[in-house]
């Protein structure tokens, strides 16, 4: 069977010592699909992303990317974290050039830097290329982190609350940038995006996977029915948007109440 650049999670469980973090996770992400993992703190969504990235190993179950078992980190799965993770002693261009070198190890220094500059231009940071991360705002640093992830040319893009630390204006700008870059991709990358923000999930994703806590598990999935491109003001004014938002909120509230009753 041809799987393309899809992700598959089967019977996944994970624990830290005696503390159960994830239980019975079954998830398929199709090639080119944008999936949001949505849930409260403690639902294991970031842990699931780390497992997809190969940064953790499951206690039980199986993860495959493009039909191959995930046994550790790899350049096929680019990761963007909430806290930028840029090398502070390198310029922004050199940070991105490091990713270019991983994608194209045979390139010379000059061509690596040229390609890095092109990726920075795509996220509106061409003028900032010679600067160091500490000279940039948080929003600009996250743009640089996205440029570095894109420079890996990975078919999979894994994002762990990448806009969570930003103010609302920069968050909206980077949401729009991410969707623009993803939609222009040929082929489109397969994206798994962790968030606790229902509006963000419905704005960005093709499908929202809702996770409950204690232990983390999938409690609902919703296909997002709104046509692209999505305009924030129009989308937030749709009755169907608010109805879907309410169903997701109700599922999360019910799971929280069930957890309190068990305690």
């Amino acid at each position: 069977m041809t799987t393309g650049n899809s992700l598959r999670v089967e019977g996944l469980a994970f624990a830290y010592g005696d503390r159960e973090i994830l239980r019975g996770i079954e998830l398929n992400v199709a090639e080119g699909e944008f999936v949001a993992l949505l849930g409260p703190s403690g639902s294991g969504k970031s842990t699931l992303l780390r497992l997809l990235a190969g940064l953790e190993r499951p206690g039980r179950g199986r993860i495959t990317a493009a039909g191959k078992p995930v046994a550790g980190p790899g350049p096929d799965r680019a990761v963007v974290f909430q806290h930028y993770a840029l090398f502070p002693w390198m310029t922004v261009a050199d940070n991105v050039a490091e990713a270019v070198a991983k994608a194209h190890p045979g390139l010379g220094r000059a061509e690596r830097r040229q390609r890095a500059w092109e990726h920075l231009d795509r996220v509106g940071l061409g003028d900032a290329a010679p600067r160091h991360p500490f000279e940039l705002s948080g929003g600009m640093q996250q743009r640089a982190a996205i440029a570095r992830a894109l420079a890996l040319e990975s078919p999979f893009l894994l994002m762990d609350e990448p806009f969570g630390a930003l103010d609302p204006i920069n968050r909206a700008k980077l949401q729009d940038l991410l969707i623009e870059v993803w939609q222009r991709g040929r082929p489109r990358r397969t994206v798994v995006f962790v968030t606790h923000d229902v509006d963000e999930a419905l704005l960005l994703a093709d499908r929202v996977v809702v996770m409950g806590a204690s232990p983390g598990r999938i409690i609902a999935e919703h296909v997002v029915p709104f046509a692209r491109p999505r305009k924030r003001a129009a989308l937030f004014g749709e009755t169907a948007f608010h109805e879907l938002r309410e169903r997701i909120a109700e599922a999360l509230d019910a799971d929280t109440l069930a957890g309190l009753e068990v305690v």
Side-chain angles (χ1 to χ4, degrees):
M1 181 178 66
T2 301
T3 59
N5 291 322
S6 62
L7 289 167
R8 186 174 180 86
V9 180
E10 301 171 275
L12 183 71
F14 182 82
Y16 286 120
D18 295 332
R19 185 162 63 96
E20 188 179 23
I21 306 299
L22 293 169
R23 176 191 295 174
I25 303 295
E26 302 279 344
L27 177 66
N28 294 316
V29 183
E31 180 175 11
E33 187 179 18
F34 195 125
V35 168
L37 297 179
L38 173 72
S41 297
S43 60
K45 55 191 186 297
S46 292
T47 300
L48 178 53
L49 195 89
R50 289 178 61 83
L51 286 157
L52 293 172
L55 298 171
E56 304 279 4
R57 298 293 298 275
R60 292 194 309 276
R62 185 168 181 260
I63 303 173
T64 56
K68 299 177 182 177
V70 170
D76 62 318
R77 283 155 286 127
V79 185
V80 178
F81 298 102
Q82 182 174 346
H83 297 292
Y84 323 133
L86 299 169
F87 297 124
W89 60 88
M90 290 183 176
T91 65
V92 172
D94 285 340
N95 266 278
V96 179
E98 283 288 305
V100 174
K102 290 181 179 179
H104 300 281
L107 291 181
R109 175 177 169 80
E111 190 168 355
R112 290 199 303 268
R113 287 183 62 82
Q114 176 60 35
R115 293 200 183 191
W117 223 290
E118 291 170 0
H119 284 292
L120 287 166
D121 267 336
R122 292 174 70 190
V123 300
L125 277 184
D127 292 342
R131 297 163 68 182
H132 287 80
F134 59 81
E135 299 178 272
L136 307 181
S137 68
M140 293 173 75
Q141 288 187 58
Q142 196 60 295
R143 284 175 184 258
I146 291 171
R148 183 177 60 183
L150 296 175
L152 283 170
E153 299 181 18
S154 308
F156 302 101
L157 180 58
L158 309 176
M159 310 187 79
D160 188 6
E161 298 196 54
F163 311 142
L166 302 178
D167 63 84
I169 292 174
N170 275 309
R171 185 171 188 148
K173 287 179 179 178
L174 287 188
Q175 288 168 346
D176 292 343
L177 171 67
L178 173 61
I179 286 300
E180 179 185 353
V181 170
W182 173 75
Q183 289 184 153
R184 286 204 315 255
R186 294 294 183 271
R188 286 181 178 173
R189 288 171 170 82
T190 304
V191 180
V192 179
F193 184 100
V194 167
T195 182
H196 62 267
D197 187 313
V198 179
D199 290 355
E200 182 171 66
L202 294 178
L203 175 68
L204 298 178
D206 296 318
R207 181 161 50 104
V208 177
V209 175
V210 185
M211 298 186 65
S214 302
R217 66 216 182 282
I218 295 171
I219 60 173
E221 294 189 35
H222 297 276
V223 173
V224 181
F226 311 115
R228 298 185 188 273
R230 296 172 188 160
K231 299 297 183 182
R232 187 176 279 99
L235 179 65
F236 293 173
E238 287 191 26
T239 300
F241 170 85
H242 290 282
E243 289 174 346
L244 181 53
R245 189 181 192 277
E246 187 64 24
R247 287 203 302 274
I248 291 171
E250 286 173 356
L252 289 169
D253 288 346
D255 183 71
T256 299
L257 289 172
L260 291 174
E261 289 173 1
V262 169
V263 173

